[in-house]
């Protein structure tokens, strides 16, 4: 199974996606998701200029060797652009190997460890009535776990609050939108929101919350403690993630479970967090953490410490990346939960998918490989559009973590 070509396909049906498409002399096509939200073209150049020419002529079966070749061979190890590019190659090769074997990919990863993957959806609203409506809409769609985000009185625009249906992290804008932040207002407001949600929806429903890295360690510790009565499934990204030591302080003060890692790209980002049991869930994306090969390694390491998966799955993970997450999640022993924001209708026409969402559980399906096909005709209708994630400023204009 020799690689004949590796091409990068950029398309923007409902948002931007970068897909690596690897073809072999057997006539098979393997796909990898290389989307890096708001910095897409950097990965396009990395793949097209530096990686694709090296893949042609290689044996597509040699997944581990290719991973090491791209990681060690680059000399400049790690980093989001490099690791997104390696992820795309790795996932495309796993897709090819599983297609060649005539099996869904999870069979090659050890087979199914469960019958379905618990997924959580995103509810948000500017006030309690609209937040409740958003939660009810997700429950009606079948979701059995829900992330709760809400506006904060006094702040005009904050991240992660959608319209009536969903929110899209990056806007199709020429420059980042500037949003507002004030930690004291947020800390005062949020516990009451969870109290109201619990009163309305009862004690059983798993509830999650994402802080988006916006608090100092002592503020995060206080929030974790204040939310304990509402029994969160997890509190996500409570402090800026690059500071592993910060989680130790948070951990000393609260029993609210902690999740972190959507901006990580290597096991080295997790070493202290896992070995010192400072977190409960690994939030990495397959697409940003070196693909299935490397995220499986991280999850096996985490599993030795009772830490579970919570693989990243917002809309900037393409259906290709989502399928990879589902195959890996079905196979690993220490699965926790899967994030799932549905894509738009145009995206579903560009990417034909075999994965399913039924009664709140996801399954990657039984098609050989990843189970996703890319329509080049559909993809070609939607050229790249400039898009950026927003930034966040305090009331005095200081740039803050978002
Ligand atoms: O901000 O995917 O948990 N999910 C999230 C997402 C991320 C975006 C960044 O590209 O925090 O909304
Ligand atoms: Co997040």
């Amino acid at each position: 199974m020799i690689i004949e070509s590796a091409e990068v396909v950029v398309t923007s049906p409902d948002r931007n996606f970068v897909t690596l498409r690897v073809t072999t002399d057997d006539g098979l096509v393997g796909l990898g998701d290389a989307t890096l939200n708001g910095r897409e073209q950097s990965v396009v150049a990395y793949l097209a200029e530096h990686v694709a020419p090296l893949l042609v002529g290689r044996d597509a079966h040699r997944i581990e060797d290719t991973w090491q070749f791209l990681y060690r061979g680059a000399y400049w190890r790690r980093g989001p652009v490099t690791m997104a590019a390696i992820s795309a190659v790795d996932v495309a090769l796993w897709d090819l190997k599983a297609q060649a074997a005539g099996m869904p990919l999870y069979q090659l990863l050890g087979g199914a460890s469960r019958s379905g993957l618990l997924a959580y959806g995103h509810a948000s609203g500017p006030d309690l009535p609209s937040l409740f409506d958003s939660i009810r809409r997700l429950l009606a769609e079948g979701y059995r776990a829900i992330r709760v985000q809400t506006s904060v009185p006094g702040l005009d625009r904050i991240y992660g609050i959608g319209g009536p249906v969903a929110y899209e992290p990056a806007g199709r804008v020429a420059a980042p939108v500037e949003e507002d932040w004030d930690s004291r207002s947020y800390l005062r407001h949020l516990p009451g929101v969870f109290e109201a949600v619990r009163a309305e929806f009862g004690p059983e429903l798993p509830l999650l919350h994402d802080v988006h890295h916006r608090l100092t360690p002592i503020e995060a510790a206080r929030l974790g403690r204040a939310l304990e009565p509402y029994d969160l499934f997890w509190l996500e990204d409570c402090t800026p993630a690059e500071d592993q030591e910060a989680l130790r302080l948070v951990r000393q003060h609260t029993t609210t479970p902690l999740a972190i890692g959507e901006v990580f790209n290597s096991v080295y980002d997790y070493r202290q967090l896992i070995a010192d049991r400072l977190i409960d869930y690994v939030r990495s994306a397959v697409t940003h953490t070196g693909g299935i090969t490397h995220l499986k390694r991280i999850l096996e390491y985490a599993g030795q410490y009772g830490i579970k998966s919570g693989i990243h799955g917002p809309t900037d993970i393409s259906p290709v990346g989502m399928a990879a997450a589902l195959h890996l999640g079905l196979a690993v022993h220490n699965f926790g939960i899967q994030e799932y924001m549905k894509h738009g209708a145009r995206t579903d026409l560009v990417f034909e998918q075999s994965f399913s969402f039924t009664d709140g559980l996801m399954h990657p399906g039984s098609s050989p490989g990843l189970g996703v096909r890319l329509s080049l005709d559909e993809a070609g209708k939607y050229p790249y559009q400039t898009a950026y994630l927003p930034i966040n400023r305090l009331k005095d204009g200081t740039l803050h973590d978002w």
Side-chain angles (χ1 to χ4, degrees):
M1 193 163 63
I2 301 300
I3 296 172
E4 282 193 345
S5 70
E7 82 185 286
V8 184
V9 179
V10 180
T11 182
S12 194
D14 301 292
R15 60 159 9 272
N16 292 318
F17 294 114
V18 179
T19 309
L20 181 69
R21 188 173 177 276
V22 179
T23 52
T24 70
D25 58 353
D26 310 50
L28 297 177
V29 177
L31 301 176
D33 176 12
T35 309
L36 187 62
N37 204 4
R39 293 292 186 272
E40 293 87 357
Q41 302 290 25
S42 56
V43 191
V44 173
Y46 194 108
L47 282 169
E49 303 289 333
H50 304 293
V51 174
L54 303 178
L55 295 178
V56 175
R58 289 180 73 86
D59 180 356
H61 276 304
R62 297 183 62 174
I63 297 176
E64 178 69 28
D65 183 65
T66 301
W67 197 96
Q68 300 295 345
F69 172 71
L70 294 175
Y71 182 77
R72 294 169 197 278
Y75 188 79
W76 311 106
R77 296 183 187 184
R78 305 184 287 154
V81 176
T82 296
M83 296 305 279
I86 294 177
S87 300
V89 175
D90 184 76
V91 170
L93 296 189
W94 277 109
D95 187 15
L96 287 166
K97 191 187 280 293
Q99 288 181 49
M103 292 180 181
L105 173 53
Y106 67 83
Q107 295 291 13
L108 274 56
L109 302 175
S113 290
R114 56 196 53 79
S115 51
L117 304 174
L118 178 68
Y120 73 90
H122 289 205
S124 69
D127 50 30
L128 283 178
S130 56
L131 174 62
F132 287 3
D133 284 350
S134 177
I135 295 173
R136 284 194 197 98
R137 196 173 297 113
L138 290 173
L139 293 173
E141 287 177 34
Y143 281 100
R144 297 185 196 172
I146 295 184
R147 189 184 93 163
V148 171
Q149 306 295 124
T150 178
S151 299
V152 175
L155 302 181
D156 286 340
R157 287 190 293 194
I158 71 169
Y159 186 76
I161 311 301
V165 180
Y167 82 96
E168 172 57 52
R172 282 173 163 167
V173 286
V177 170
E178 305 215 347
E179 299 183 338
D180 310 308
W181 190 247
D182 180 64
S183 293
R184 290 187 65 229
S185 306
Y186 169 70
L187 289 170
R188 273 198 307 275
H189 183 64
L190 195 68
V193 171
F194 273 90
E195 183 181 18
V197 171
R198 275 287 175 229
E200 179 73 13
F201 294 94
E204 286 295 337
L205 182 65
L207 298 175
L208 303 82
H209 180 70
D210 194 341
V211 185
H212 294 295
H213 312 110
R214 292 178 290 211
L215 297 177
T216 65
I218 200 67
E219 288 168 345
R222 201 173 123 208
L223 180 65
R225 187 177 277 189
L227 293 176
E228 279 171 23
Y230 314 115
D231 185 24
L232 264 62
F233 186 97
W234 77 33
L235 186 65
E236 175 183 348
D237 291 343
C238 62
T239 51
E242 60 267 47
D243 182 1
Q244 295 189 36
E245 196 60 33
L247 276 295
R248 193 184 307 283
L249 191 147
V250 181
R251 196 66 151 175
Q252 281 165 359
H253 292 286
T254 180
T255 55
T256 292
L258 303 175
I260 207 160
E262 70 182 44
V263 299
F264 289 173
N265 51 70
S266 158
V267 70
Y268 295 102
D269 296 322
Y270 282 107
R271 245 189 358 195
Q272 196 179 345
L273 298 177
I274 291 174
D276 295 353
R277 301 176 195 272
L278 304 182
I279 58 170
D280 300 280
Y281 294 93
V282 163
R283 285 289 288 134
S284 276
V286 176
T287 55
H288 302 142
T289 320
I292 284 172
T293 295
H294 195 66
L295 185 52
K296 186 167 193 282
R297 223 156 254 162
I298 294 172
L299 291 178
E300 282 165 354
Y301 172 41
Q304 295 168 43
Y305 295 85
I307 298 168
K308 296 184 176 180
S309 73
I311 301 179
H312 201 215
T315 39
D316 45 298
I317 305 298
S318 87
V320 174
M322 178 57 66
L326 298 178
H327 285 281
L328 183 57
L330 198 69
V332 294
H333 174 69
N334 53 326
F335 171 79
I337 199 166
Q338 174 63 52
E339 181 180 25
Y340 181 43
M341 278 169 86
K342 290 181 181 171
H343 287 115
R346 283 187 292 267
T347 299
D348 290 342
L349 288 176
V350 172
F351 298 95
E352 187 193 310
Q353 305 148 32
S354 74
F355 62 77
S356 59
F357 173 74
T358 313
D359 295 332
L361 300 183
M362 302 191 78
H363 193 283
S366 57
S367 302
L370 280 174
V372 181
R373 284 169 184 276
L374 172 67
S375 163
L376 291 177
D377 286 346
E378 286 295 322
K381 293 181 187 171
Y382 309 108
Y384 170 79
Q385 293 192 28
T386 303
Y388 286 102
L389 286 160
I391 61 162
N392 206 10
R393 287 191 191 275
L394 305 181
K395 283 184 173 145
D396 71 353
T398 305
L399 200 60
H400 191 65
D401 297 288
W402 62 265

